[in-house]
Amino acid sequence: MMRRSMARLAALGGVCLLGFAARAEVPANGSAYIDASVAAVESLINASPGKPKLPRLADPIEGKVLDDVWNDAAILGKGPYSGADIPALLNIVQKQTRILQAYTLYSPDPGKTPPDTARNTAEYQDELARSHAFLLKAVAASLQAINDFGAHLSKDEKTESRFDGIRQMRLGLQEIVTGVALALRNPALSEANQTLLARGLADNAADIVAGIAPADRTALVTALQASQPALKPNAKKAVDQFVATAQKASCDGLCRLQ
């Protein structure tokens, strides 16, 4: 799912932003910040001779390097986000997805031993939960920016190729949110990490829901409701908040794009 998401997000490169005048709210160096922080993490992974070793959040040194990757204040700044933010947000989402892939698809002997994704999602759940939580913020920001972009298109700019690019990006972003919903079902997830993911959904519900078509909202709500038996009280409360937002939200802008 993650590889498909990245491919679909790359389709946004075909969406023409020329002539769109707007003030970006992503920090001027936000994209460069995540480029550098992801490169630092990947350097740690490849630092062990012969076999890669994943940095751990609990390690006092490695944890500080990882914290930079999830520094949403420095990377994402604060909204509202506009169409001018889309290229930076696209890069941020793609780079953060690389961190998610590094932990989910980890193999101590790449090329010889296939990844044990079930083991990885349990063993590295602290790192994966932080990455998922960051991505929820980045997805919400991206959908807000796309909504703004669409709202400012002139009649001549509303071409089918542009709308196709937007649909592809939206689908990639939706798959990231669906990935979080599926992660919540994992019985190995600790209560703290479960709450972190559920709270990330609730805190970003309005922007996520605003960018999703009604049928996809329903599918996401169904996926989240399926996770309910595994949820602790705090996580369940947060998921219920997301579901309530999805069920009562109006459908305007990006939501109406089929």
Side-chain angles (χ1 to χ4, degrees):
M1 179 176 286
M2 286 181 294
R3 288 194 179 103
R4 292 200 308 269
S5 298
M6 290 185 73
R8 289 186 175 115
L9 289 169
L12 187 66
V15 179
C16 179
L17 299 176
L18 295 176
F20 186 86
R23 185 168 64 92
E25 293 298 340
V26 172
N29 65 339
S31 196
Y33 191 108
I34 198 167
D35 287 349
S37 58
V38 168
V41 171
E42 291 176 339
S43 293
L44 283 178
I45 293 173
N46 297 318
S48 301
K51 295 184 178 181
K53 177 181 176 295
L54 295 179
R56 303 308 306 267
L57 186 58
D59 184 276
I61 296 175
E62 295 173 348
K64 290 182 179 179
V65 177
L66 286 169
D67 278 338
D68 271 345
V69 172
W70 304 312
N71 188 342
D72 54 276
I75 296 168
L76 293 171
K78 188 176 181 180
Y81 300 95
S82 72
D85 289 303
I86 292 176
L89 288 169
L90 174 63
N91 178 60
I92 289 166
V93 170
Q94 289 177 322
K95 290 295 167 57
Q96 186 64 220
T97 304
R98 273 166 52 174
I99 298 297
L100 205 65
Q101 286 183 309
Y103 284 87
T104 305
L105 303 177
Y106 170 73
S107 170
D109 197 4
K112 296 182 179 180
T113 305
D116 187 341
T117 55
R119 178 187 178 279
N120 289 344
T121 54
E123 175 70 20
Y124 302 110
Q125 63 174 282
D126 291 345
E127 294 78 16
L128 287 167
R130 289 287 297 276
S131 195
H132 275 304
F134 179 96
L135 274 168
L136 286 172
K137 295 178 183 178
V139 166
S142 299
L143 289 170
Q144 185 183 109
I146 298 170
N147 251 325
D148 180 80
F149 174 69
H152 288 85
L153 289 175
S154 68
K155 183 177 179 180
D156 290 342
E157 290 170 332
K158 294 179 179 179
T159 63
E160 192 58 31
S161 61
R162 179 172 281 112
F163 286 142
D164 280 344
I166 291 174
R167 289 186 189 99
Q168 288 298 309
M169 183 181 182
R170 180 176 66 176
L171 185 54
L173 295 169
Q174 285 176 206
E175 287 180 347
I176 291 170
V177 180
T178 301
V180 174
L182 295 175
L184 282 170
R185 300 186 196 181
N186 189 343
L189 202 61
S190 71
E191 183 174 355
N193 287 331
Q194 190 182 82
T195 301
L196 178 63
L197 297 186
R199 193 71 257 157
L201 285 166
D203 290 345
N204 297 286
D207 286 321
I208 291 173
V209 168
I212 297 177
D216 296 317
R217 289 181 183 178
T218 300
L220 181 55
V221 165
T222 299
L224 287 170
Q225 289 173 333
S227 72
Q228 294 281 23
L231 300 181
K232 301 297 184 182
N234 286 337
K236 184 178 184 303
K237 180 180 179 180
V239 167
D240 286 343
Q241 290 174 1
F242 183 94
V243 169
T245 299
Q247 291 177 333
K248 70 182 181 183
S250 60
C251 186
D252 303 296
L254 186 57
C255 172
R256 298 175 62 185
L257 180 63
Q258 300 298 320

